[in-house]
Amino acid sequence: MLQSLILILVSVWILLSLLLYFFQPKFVYFPYPDLVATPADAGLAYDDVNLVTSDRLKINGWFVPHKEPRATVLFLHGNGGNISHRLEKLLIFNHLGLAVFIIDYRGYGTSEGTPSEQGTYLDATAAWDYLTKDRGIPEGRIILYGESLGGAVASWLADRHKAGALILESAFTSIGDMGKHYYPYLPVKMLARIKYPTLEHIRNVTCPVLVIHSKTDDIVPYTQGRKLFASALEPKSFLEISGDHNNGFMQSGRTYSNGINEFLTKNNFPPIKPDEITGPN
């Protein structure tokens, strides 16, 4: 009886391990194909931009200008939805005096292809080249912003280019660490074909770094955000917000926008006073 139970448990363990290994992308990427809104619906002017990556895929994005931009944000979103689900953040960045370029990774929104780790890196590189070459924006006036999985992509990009700043919101240390958190009974680090080693990249980033995380983040543990901050080089800042993983930035109100503004001002981006920031309270 005991041997039969052990055999069943081992068989289930092997089956779960195989499912995790072979169907890994299904556990990581949750793209949504339809754009549900545009920046115009939030009262923002924008340019619809199509880029061609180095492996010849067409990806889509929006460039949201500002009449007097302090800097330009390259917005790398998380693993779910698409660019049309980020209008609230586009508004916040606009109220902070920032132009924004947000892209959909391959397989998200109207972008071609299928999501993959290397693919997201190629997509981010195409977006960086668009800003620096096509629009002629100096590297030091570009802020790399990544939320959740986008934090891993932004850290990878900041490890390779000298951006003006790097902002990571609700970011994880690696896919292996996330897998270990959710599946402690499986050898996730051995099984992980998708890596996203944010912790490795952030150790090499030399521009100012802001890490944003909530203690009550219900998806990425707060301890991972603190570990990223501890591993980052100076100058660096940590902004603790409240609320859950997807809506903490809204639930935190001015704590969020004022915290970003303070970080930008401290790191020599043109200042604006907190009472000049419009938008959500």
Side-chain angles (χ1 to χ4, degrees):
M1 181 67 177
L2 180 58
Q3 288 181 333
S4 297
L5 180 59
I6 292 173
L7 181 60
I8 291 172
L9 291 174
V10 170
S11 299
V12 169
W13 184 85
I14 292 173
L15 177 61
L16 290 174
S17 297
L18 290 173
L19 287 172
L20 186 61
Y21 182 80
F22 287 108
F23 295 96
Q24 209 160 114
K26 298 294 185 183
F27 290 85
V28 176
Y29 305 109
F30 300 93
Y32 190 78
D34 299 322
L35 299 181
V36 298
T38 72
D41 295 306
L44 296 172
Y46 75 102
D47 295 331
D48 191 66
V49 179
N50 289 306
L51 305 176
V52 178
T53 63
S54 62
D55 59 342
R56 305 183 65 80
L57 286 178
K58 186 172 74 173
I59 62 169
N60 179 246
W62 294 330
F63 185 85
V64 181
H66 191 280
K67 60 181 179 180
E68 296 181 1
R70 306 164 78 182
T72 297
V73 174
L74 175 49
F75 190 141
L76 300 164
H77 65 66
N79 68 332
N82 59 49
I83 55 177
S84 69
H85 299 106
R86 272 78 186 182
L87 294 186
E88 294 92 345
K89 282 188 179 173
L90 294 182
L91 271 173
I92 289 173
F93 288 141
N94 181 264
H95 295 321
L96 283 166
L98 300 164
V100 184
F101 183 43
I102 183 171
I103 63 164
D104 263 331
Y105 312 117
R106 58 193 62 204
Y108 286 74
T110 63
S111 293
E112 296 177 343
T114 302
S116 68
E117 180 176 2
Q118 291 304 315
T120 56
Y121 297 152
L122 295 180
D123 300 339
T125 299
W128 175 268
D129 289 344
Y130 169 76
L131 291 178
T132 57
K133 297 176 182 178
D134 294 13
R135 287 197 172 259
I137 300 172
E139 293 186 351
R141 308 312 299 170
I142 298 175
I143 298 166
L144 298 176
Y145 166 82
E147 60 175 26
S148 194
L149 181 140
V153 182
S155 296
W156 179 91
L157 198 60
D159 190 2
R160 284 156 176 77
H161 298 280
K162 181 62 175 177
L166 171 65
I167 300 176
L168 305 182
E169 182 176 337
S170 307
F172 51 74
T173 50
S174 71
I175 288 292
D177 290 340
M178 285 295 290
K180 185 178 179 181
H181 172 72
Y182 281 101
Y183 308 104
Y185 45 85
L186 296 177
V188 175
K189 289 196 173 183
M190 293 176 57
L191 297 170
R193 293 183 291 119
I194 302 172
K195 307 290 186 182
Y196 286 117
T198 317
L199 192 64
E200 291 181 18
H201 295 306
I202 201 171
R203 290 171 175 151
N204 302 321
V205 174
T206 56
C207 67
V209 175
L210 172 63
V211 177
I212 305 172
H213 219 107
S214 170
K215 279 188 174 179
T216 53
D217 191 312
D218 55 330
I219 294 179
V220 179
Y222 177 76
T223 53
Q224 293 197 23
R226 292 302 310 186
K227 193 170 183 180
L228 288 172
F229 175 70
S231 299
L233 303 174
E234 295 286 356
K236 60 183 178 180
S237 302
F238 189 90
L239 174 60
E240 184 177 310
I241 59 173
S242 57
D244 60 27
H245 183 77
N246 291 315
N247 298 302
F249 74 100
M250 290 295 287
Q251 295 163 347
S252 299
R254 287 297 174 90
T255 297
Y256 181 82
S257 56
N258 287 345
I260 294 176
N261 180 49
E262 180 181 338
F263 167 75
L264 295 178
T265 302
K266 183 169 67 174
N267 288 287
N268 301 316
F269 290 93
I272 59 174
K273 297 178 182 178
D275 57 6
E276 294 176 345
I277 302 173
T278 57
N281 290 313

